[in-house]
Amino acid sequence: MIIGKFYYCIIMKKIILFFIVLVSCLTSSAQFVATKDGMTSTDSCGYYIEKYANIKASILYAKAKEYFSDMEGLKGYDTDVKNEEFSVHLLCDKAFISKKISNMIGSYTKYMDIDVVYKISFKDGKIRFDAPVIKSMGEKLSGMRNCATWNVYLYNENYDKKLSYNIFDKNGKVVRKEKLTCENLNKWINENIKGVSDYIRKTKADTSNW
């Protein structure tokens, strides 16, 4: 009977640990996901809030701008209200891999260029990231000169099949051959948000050791 209780306790601990890890993964991975109608938050509220204890809005604003100022592809700021909010405009070449192709001719990698805007708001102790707005995307083969760039849409009912394609179908499902494109788009969008957060937390940790 004692042995039975012992194994029961071990099993229960493993189950609890599993759910702790699962919840951690769900809450710390993606904040935004692509849909046929645009980017949205994983909880569908349209924004994501990151909290920072004991950091004033002015510091959060300054550190976030520092992060983007060093980012390749910074086009500028569409809006900017000091210490309160800004909309940062990024135009990134080869932002992420959209496809990997292997056939009799050889192996090829396609990359996605992306034009996107992040709106970020600041208050003491927290940052609000609104769902990013994708203005345009273009796909091209790596290393190919004078190669046409395909226009890529999340979904466009009137897209030109010869020069463009959709990631989602009319029912909102990811087109089968575009799964890698969608996965890497979500990953890239969220990596930028994680990058801002990590930069702020790192610089806070560095200064607190003085």
Side-chain angles (χ1 to χ4, degrees):
M1 188 72 177
I2 295 175
I3 294 175
K5 288 184 177 179
F6 174 74
Y7 282 112
Y8 174 78
C9 290
I10 291 177
I11 292 171
M12 289 304 295
K13 285 181 179 179
K14 288 183 177 180
I15 291 173
I16 291 170
L17 180 61
F18 169 77
F19 279 106
I20 290 173
V21 172
L22 178 61
V23 171
S24 175
C25 290
L26 290 174
T27 56
S28 63
S29 54
Q31 289 82 39
F32 295 102
V33 292
T35 71
K36 68 184 287 285
D37 299 315
M39 301 300 301
T40 188
S41 58
T42 52
D43 59 6
S44 300
C45 69
Y47 60 85
Y48 167 74
I49 293 177
E50 185 84 12
K51 295 184 178 180
Y52 307 84
N54 303 317
I55 306 181
K56 290 187 176 295
S58 58
I59 301 299
L60 294 173
Y61 168 90
K63 292 300 180 183
K65 283 202 105 176
E66 280 181 17
Y67 174 81
F68 284 110
S69 67
D70 292 333
M71 186 172 183
E72 187 175 350
L74 173 64
K75 186 177 180 181
Y77 295 90
D78 290 356
T79 62
D80 190 351
V81 180
K82 189 174 182 180
N83 299 334
E84 293 184 14
E85 67 176 44
F86 62 71
S87 295
V88 59
H89 195 160
L90 304 177
L91 186 58
C92 299
D93 184 50
K94 293 185 178 181
F96 57 88
I97 293 173
S98 54
K99 291 183 182 68
K100 290 185 176 181
I101 303 170
S102 294
N103 52 36
M104 294 178 64
I105 301 175
S107 297
Y108 306 92
T109 301
K110 289 188 176 183
Y111 288 89
M112 193 72 73
D113 298 343
I114 186 167
D115 185 351
V116 63
V117 174
Y118 288 87
K119 182 182 178 183
I120 307 174
S121 305
F122 306 88
K123 287 186 177 180
D124 290 347
K126 57 186 176 181
I127 295 178
R128 168 173 161 158
F129 298 88
D130 284 9
V133 177
I134 298 174
K135 291 184 171 292
S136 66
M137 291 185 288
E139 183 185 71
K140 59 189 176 186
L141 277 171
S142 175
M144 298 291 288
R145 292 185 178 181
N146 302 320
C147 181
T149 299
W150 284 64
N151 295 316
V152 181
Y153 305 99
L154 292 175
Y155 179 74
N156 182 349
E157 186 177 3
N158 300 313
Y159 77 103
D160 184 345
K161 293 182 179 180
K162 294 181 180 180
L163 298 172
S164 58
Y165 68 82
N166 289 328
I167 295 175
F168 292 86
D169 63 22
K170 64 180 180 180
N171 297 314
K173 294 183 178 181
V174 178
V175 176
R176 186 175 180 181
K177 65 178 181 178
E178 306 307 335
K179 286 186 177 181
L180 179 63
T181 305
C182 190
E183 288 172 4
N184 286 347
L185 169 60
N186 288 335
K187 182 179 178 181
W188 185 84
I189 288 289
N190 288 292
E191 279 178 347
N192 287 326
I193 293 172
K194 184 177 183 299
V196 174
S197 181
D198 288 350
Y199 180 79
I200 291 171
R201 295 187 192 283
K202 179 180 181 298
T203 51
K204 179 178 182 293
D206 290 344
T207 56
S208 64
N209 290 329
W210 174 246

